[in-house]
Each structure stands twice: as C-alpha cells, then as structure tokens.
Amino acid sequence: MPVTVATWNINSVRLRAGLVEAFLAGERPDVLCLQETKSPVDKIPLEQFEAIGYRLVTAKGFKGYNGVAVFARGPAEEVAPMEMCGQDDARHCAVRVGKAVIHNYYVPAGGDVPDREANRKFDHKLRFIDEMTEWSRGLDGLHIVVGDLNIAPLEEDVWNHKQLLKVVSHTPVETEGMLGLMEAGGWQDTTRADIPVPEKLFSWWSYRSADWAAADKGRRLDHVWVRGGDAHVPGSSRVLKDWRGAEKPSDHAPVLADFDI
C-alpha cells in the first residue's frame, strides 16, 4: 500500500492540538510532518495523538518559535537532524520509512526587507537555501523533502506575480535559488507534477485578510519533493484548503502526496 505523507505548518501544536487530532482522525496520513510547532518537545500533547494511533518519531523545538516534528502510525525510525547555517534552531528533522528518508524542513521566512545586506533574516534564508543546495548534490538513494520552504517559486504559485516580485517569498533571488536547489538535487516537485501550471495553487493565506477565501490572495509556500526513484504515486497530490477555514486555523493548509516506499 502507498504511504501518505502530509506536511503542515501548524503555527503552534499546543494551541492547535485539537485541530491536529481532527486532521489525523479524518485524513489518516501515514506520516505527518509539522512545522512551526512553537513548543519544547516535552510539552507537545502526545497523549491526544497516541490515542488515535500516532506516535512522535522525532522532534526539535523551543517555546514560542520554530520547531519541527514527525508523527507516524506505522514503522518509522529517527534519522539524525541537521544544523543548518551553524545554528541549532529546530528547522530540520528526518525519519526513515521503508526505503525512503523523509526530511521535514522549516526554511526561515526571511523578514520583510528583500536585501541581504540590510536584513540579516533575509541573508539567513538565502544561506539556508544555499546549504540545502550543496547537501542535495551529495545525496544518494530515495529522499523526500517536505515542509514550509517559505518560497513560492512559480508565477502561478502566487496570487499576483508582478505585485509580489519585491515581496519576500517571491523575489527573483529566492525563486532562482529554489529552482537551482531543485536542479542540483534532481528533485521532483510532486505537487506540481500532479497539479501542473497554469493552474493557480496556494497553501498559505494571510491572517490579515478579512475574508481570506473570497480574496484568495495566497502563496504556495509548502512543498513535497522526491528524488532518487519513481516512488511518487501519480495524481496523489492534494492541498486541503478546507483546513485553512477551520475554527482557529493555521494560516497554512496541509499538503499531501502518496509514495510507494
């Protein structure tokens, strides 16, 4: 049976534990990768998830910011996390499921000013992508990358390409960096393989929009990639936009895909 992998920036796993529980009970992914958990590992409410068959395989986290975690309802083994840009800031963790290593990333958002000299956060983001690129070059075997990568690479991944060219997440230096990363590692964008351009496709909608669904001013910041084989099940990718409309939601929607691993 294919393995369903889900990625979701949950924007506080403790605040939205009930939402995660409902998602797991309703959608039943085999692996759930969360970003921006905003919680020390020992404070994650594991009992709620264990009661419906999900165990925490690995996690890194701090109170109030960053944080990544992977839950599974089948066999999965922890793989050592990486410290990106020389910082132990809870932006990567990984697990082995079958013959694949699944990497869960939370790429820095990059702040508001798209200038690496004036904005250290933006410089950090670009260095992070550079390190992912070099890491990708040396990979062997089957690897899956998921997470909030905080870049919408294609024109059809944002609500208005021209208006967002100077907005962090869609600037040319970021989109070119991501496309270079994908080329260096031989990564396949499984979501776009199944839902190709010219269809607009978003996974994030700002809390600032009074009626986010009607305005639909979104960006595709959350990704699922694969390299090293033909494990991706064609047509299996989906962005579950309805979860953005849940009570007290994250500003991101879950993204899922199936793999024969």
Side-chain angles (χ1 to χ4, degrees):
M1 292 291 292
V3 171
T4 299
V5 179
T7 179
W8 197 3
N9 178 319
I10 195 59
N11 193 13
S12 177
V13 67
R14 286 191 284 174
L15 181 63
R16 296 184 171 83
L19 192 63
V20 175
E21 182 182 0
F23 172 78
L24 292 173
E27 304 296 340
R28 300 298 291 171
D30 297 287
V31 178
L32 172 62
C33 299
L34 296 178
Q35 304 87 41
E36 209 170 355
T37 54
K38 296 183 177 180
S39 175
V41 176
D42 62 356
K43 299 296 184 181
I44 297 174
L46 303 181
E47 296 81 3
Q48 284 184 246
F49 312 135
E50 290 172 348
I52 56 174
Y54 286 86
R55 66 183 179 91
L56 179 67
V57 182
T58 185
K60 300 276 288 184
F62 306 103
K63 181 180 179 180
Y65 69 101
N66 292 4
V68 286
V70 180
F71 293 86
R73 64 187 181 101
E77 299 177 358
E78 181 179 12
V79 175
M82 293 186 288
E83 293 184 5
M84 306 295 294
C85 300
Q87 300 183 40
D88 183 14
D89 55 358
R91 292 188 178 276
H92 172 267
C93 64
V95 299
R96 182 177 296 277
V97 177
K99 58 186 179 182
V101 179
I102 303 172
H103 301 269
N104 181 16
Y105 275 103
Y106 178 41
V107 171
D112 297 324
V113 180
D115 183 330
R116 67 188 311 165
E117 299 296 328
N119 178 6
R120 292 182 179 180
K121 292 181 179 180
F122 194 65
D123 178 65
H124 180 203
K125 181 177 192 175
L126 297 182
R127 289 188 293 111
F128 199 103
I129 294 297
D130 287 344
E131 286 198 9
M132 287 183 69
T133 301
E134 290 306 309
W135 163 76
S136 293
R137 295 187 207 278
L139 289 178
D140 188 27
L142 181 60
H143 292 260
I144 297 167
V145 157
V146 306
D148 178 2
L149 306 188
N150 261 315
I151 297 174
L154 306 177
E155 293 186 18
E156 296 83 1
D157 292 338
V158 294
W159 68 274
N160 189 305
H161 168 63
K162 290 184 178 180
Q163 288 193 37
L164 293 177
L165 279 173
K166 294 184 179 180
V167 175
V168 173
S169 77
H170 193 62
T171 65
V173 66
E174 294 171 272
T175 59
E176 290 167 10
M178 174 169 278
L179 294 175
L181 158 59
M182 297 182 71
E183 182 178 0
W187 295 105
Q188 179 194 38
D189 181 346
T190 61
T191 312
R192 275 304 186 188
D194 292 336
I195 311 169
V197 295
E199 182 173 342
K200 291 276 190 177
L201 188 62
F202 313 137
S203 65
W204 173 89
W205 296 262
S206 175
Y207 287 133
R208 297 176 183 176
S209 178
D211 190 342
W212 69 272
D216 202 24
K217 293 184 176 181
R219 307 176 205 172
R220 187 171 71 103
L221 304 181
D222 305 271
H223 298 267
V224 180
W225 301 348
V226 64
R227 67 152 321 274
D230 56 358
H232 169 231
V233 177
S236 65
S237 300
R238 56 264 197 208
V239 179
L240 302 186
K241 184 177 178 179
D242 286 352
W243 289 94
R244 175 61 179 86
E247 185 177 355
K248 296 181 180 179
S250 169
D251 46 358
H252 293 252
V255 182
L256 295 83
D258 297 347
F259 299 90
D260 286 320
I261 55 178

